[in-house]
Amino acid sequence: MAKFVIAGRADCPYYAKTELLADYLQKNLPDFRIHKITQRPEVWEDWLKDVCEKNKWSHKNSPIIWRELLDRGGKGLLLGGYNEFLEHAQLYYDVTSSMTTELMMVIAQENLGAHIQKEQEEEGLKTCINPLQVWITSASAPACYNLIPILTSGEVFGMHTEISITLFDNKQAEEYLKSLVMETQDLASPVLRSVSICTKVEEAFCQAHIIVVLDDSTDKEVFTLEDCLRSRVPLCRLYGYLIEKNAHESVRVIVGGKTFVNLKTVLLMRYAPRIAHNIIAVALGVEGEAKAILARKLKTTPSYIKDVIIWGNISGNNYVDLRKTRVYRYESAIWGPLHYSRPLLNLIFDSEWIKREFVATLKNLTATGRQFGGILAAHSIATTLKYWYHGSPPGEIVSLGILSEGQFGIPKGIVFSMPVKFENGTWVVLTDLKDTEISEQIMTRMTSDLIQEKLVALGDKIHFQPYQSGFEGKTVES
């Protein structure tokens, strides 16, 4: 079976005559199939040039007809133009066209009108398919610059989901945001419907499906930890009000960064109670830094290390749990298939290195106020979003900051990083994990700071008093 492709300028009379003859042949011959392509007159020449260059053909006029041999992989074989198609029909099928010139011109104009109408209908249908509205706060932050290419690659939401990105920041950042919009448009991403900026607070988060909250830059100078904690409240209160007022009812809010991440998340939940169940804090950045340190020690690749659990305060006192951590593809005397893994603690014999150097290095990297590199922050946010929409890898443990409901003995009402898995558009806390008990002293140290942060920020406590226990700010279970 052969399929003929007939392409032409929408207002071309010779295309009209060719089309009529091809329709007749398809109707009367069981093995004759046609596919029609029309283009607006103003784009026809460029389109024809691209087709000819791609197929190494030489053709100048409308129409162009080629044959696709379906039984040979669909390879195109150029037939020619109107005259060549007419000769082919006469020679092989003993059929010719008797269409008058006047009728050719009438049909050509009808074809042009039909082509324009089809384009308008397609555009109308496109507007009916609402793209995913993605808002990024503090969009002048480095993380945003690195996040945009990942979001527009189709890797996060899928190649069949269009997105519209709105960059939200203050008026002072407007010029930078304009240049960022142009650079984003230059990507020519097939999944990006539009990209725009917003500097008007009252318009923020309009119909947002996803809100990415990055670390905010403040012009107000603060001198104490208490002032710093209280300074988070006004913006979170404002964001909460705007999210409740303007965002889509199913909006998902993801909080990233390194500055009081747990606190900002719990404040947003307080001021946007209607969607509190859909607000989470990203812990994969800390997890990634821990894996990288361990990989350098083992001389392996960070992605081969799985199931590092981050408990507690993402940007403060937390607890790195390596009891479930496993290493895949590790070069040693023992080898196995790709799914074979070994417990990490069986591979690092220097327990003092874990308790001292590893802890100290990670504590320095993840200290509150110390910025993640833009690449790590963006990747952590994008990966968490991807898991949220499509599920996390089967069998893998993911660390996530969520509101405690009393799991693992964690006090209710604080945002705490804990082990979860993503499935069916939500997350499930892995409460059935064995051998993950946390000592009362370590739990008290982590929860004390988080409870105090919340009380001081809301004005219920005047001074923040760090928990004194003799433990370092980060603890690793080994």
Side-chain angles (χ1 to χ4, degrees):
M1 179 186 292
K3 180 174 77 173
F4 288 86
V5 179
I6 302 170
R9 212 176 59 239
D11 64 346
C12 173
Y14 291 100
Y15 171 82
K17 192 168 185 177
T18 304
E19 178 190 29
L20 188 66
L21 178 57
D23 284 340
Y24 175 83
L25 292 172
Q26 180 171 250
K27 183 178 180 181
N28 291 278
L29 299 174
D31 293 331
F32 191 95
R33 296 289 180 268
I34 61 171
H35 176 67
K36 306 173 190 176
I37 302 173
T38 56
Q39 297 291 338
R40 281 178 178 262
E42 59 269 23
V43 302
W44 164 253
E45 289 188 5
D46 290 336
W47 184 89
L48 179 62
K49 182 180 178 182
D50 289 342
V51 170
C52 289
E53 286 180 355
K54 178 181 177 181
N55 293 280
K56 296 181 173 57
W57 295 336
S58 177
H59 192 82
K60 301 293 184 183
N61 303 314
S62 172
I64 179 174
I65 300 104
W66 69 88
R67 186 180 179 189
E68 291 186 349
L69 304 178
L70 302 183
D71 58 345
R72 300 183 189 177
K75 181 176 175 59
L77 182 66
L78 178 65
L79 181 63
Y82 162 72
N83 289 329
E84 288 78 12
F85 184 71
L86 194 62
E87 290 174 5
H88 182 87
Q90 289 176 328
L91 179 62
Y92 287 94
Y93 309 115
D94 195 25
V95 176
T96 188
S97 174
S98 58
M99 182 186 290
T100 63
T101 302
E102 183 180 355
L103 184 57
M104 286 167 57
M105 299 299 293
V106 171
I107 295 178
Q109 290 305 309
E110 290 178 352
N111 281 343
L112 178 59
H115 179 86
I116 294 172
Q117 184 178 357
K118 182 181 177 182
E119 281 187 339
Q120 290 173 343
E121 289 174 353
E122 289 176 350
E123 197 63 32
L125 286 173
K126 192 175 180 181
T127 58
C128 292
I129 304 172
N130 294 324
L132 206 61
Q133 299 291 336
V134 181
W135 282 70
I136 305 175
T137 74
S138 304
S140 58
C144 179
Y145 186 86
N146 291 277
L147 179 60
I148 289 173
I150 306 176
L151 296 179
T152 56
S153 69
E155 180 183 340
V156 177
F157 306 111
M159 291 303 298
H160 300 292
T161 301
E162 286 191 328
I163 63 173
S164 288
I165 298 175
T166 305
L167 308 175
F168 178 51
D169 212 320
N170 55 44
K171 191 72 174 177
Q172 289 77 12
E174 188 168 10
E175 287 305 312
Y176 171 76
L177 296 184
K178 287 179 179 178
S179 66
L180 189 55
V181 165
M182 294 176 64
E183 202 167 341
T184 303
Q185 292 169 335
D186 291 343
L187 294 173
S189 166
V191 301
L192 181 64
R193 175 78 67 86
S194 65
V195 57
S196 58
I197 64 175
C198 177
T199 57
K200 296 180 179 178
V201 172
E202 64 274 11
E203 297 177 3
F205 312 135
C206 181
Q207 290 303 304
H209 296 106
I210 297 165
I211 299 173
V212 179
V213 180
L214 301 178
D215 279 335
D216 55 286
S217 56
T218 177
D219 297 329
K220 183 180 178 181
E221 190 173 2
V222 292
F223 298 98
T224 67
L225 174 60
E226 288 80 5
D227 288 341
C228 195
L229 290 168
R230 295 183 185 109
S231 71
R232 307 295 142 183
V233 175
L235 190 60
C236 289
R237 183 191 294 121
L238 176 63
Y239 281 1
Y241 166 75
L242 293 169
I243 291 170
E244 291 264 307
K245 178 175 179 286
N246 296 338
H248 192 274
E249 60 181 9
S250 63
V251 63
R252 302 182 183 191
V253 181
I254 182 166
V255 183
K258 288 293 292 293
T259 307
F260 302 109
V261 176
N262 297 55
L263 175 63
K264 289 189 294 187
T265 306
V266 79
L267 289 174
L268 285 172
M269 292 175 175
R270 178 186 180 91
Y271 296 117
R274 180 175 57 84
I275 53 97
H277 62 286
N278 262 0
I279 304 177
I280 60 175
V282 178
L284 290 186
V286 182
E287 193 177 307
E289 288 180 328
K291 290 178 179 178
I293 298 170
L294 294 166
R296 286 192 288 270
K297 177 68 174 177
L298 291 172
K299 295 181 173 55
T300 187
T301 303
S303 64
Y304 294 168
I305 299 175
K306 309 289 186 184
D307 303 339
V308 173
I309 303 175
I310 308 298
W311 298 89
N313 193 344
I314 295 165
S315 51
N317 280 335
N318 54 44
Y319 167 60
V320 183
D321 192 345
L322 303 180
R323 290 173 293 182
K324 294 294 181 183
T325 306
R326 304 192 67 83
V327 183
Y328 293 76
R329 305 188 192 182
Y330 186 64
E331 295 186 14
S332 66
I334 302 174
W335 277 81
L338 293 179
H339 63 268
Y340 174 74
S341 64
R342 299 171 66 186
L344 177 133
L345 294 177
N346 289 353
L347 300 175
I348 298 180
F349 304 105
D350 186 357
S351 60
E352 287 302 309
W353 178 87
I354 294 177
K355 293 176 181 178
R356 298 183 183 278
E357 188 176 337
F358 174 67
V359 169
T361 303
L362 191 59
K363 180 180 179 181
N364 181 55
L365 286 173
T366 60
T368 297
R370 183 186 176 108
Q371 293 293 314
F372 278 131
I375 295 176
L376 177 59
H379 181 267
S380 303
I381 292 167
T383 303
T384 305
L385 275 173
K386 179 182 178 180
Y387 290 170
W388 202 350
Y389 273 81
H390 301 292
S392 52
E396 281 192 26
I397 300 172
V398 179
S399 301
L400 184 70
I402 58 175
L403 189 66
S404 169
E405 297 178 355
Q407 307 97 324
F408 306 105
I410 302 165
K412 295 182 180 180
I414 59 174
V415 169
F416 201 91
S417 178
M418 61 184 77
V420 306
K421 65 177 178 180
F422 285 90
E423 61 182 13
N424 302 321
T426 187
W427 61 87
V428 177
V429 180
L430 299 176
T431 54
D432 57 347
L433 287 177
K434 296 180 179 179
D435 302 321
T436 56
E437 295 80 10
I438 303 173
S439 72
E440 183 179 347
Q441 193 171 27
I442 294 174
M443 181 66 76
T444 302
R445 173 179 59 81
M446 292 188 292
T447 57
S448 173
D449 285 357
L450 288 170
I451 292 170
Q452 283 195 82
E453 282 184 4
K454 182 178 176 182
L455 292 174
V456 171
L458 295 173
D460 296 327
K461 186 178 177 67
I462 298 175
H463 298 294
F464 182 93
Q465 297 175 324
Y467 178 75
Q468 301 295 328
S469 68
F471 279 82
E472 292 291 330
K474 295 211 180 290
T475 303
V476 176
E477 178 59 50
S478 58

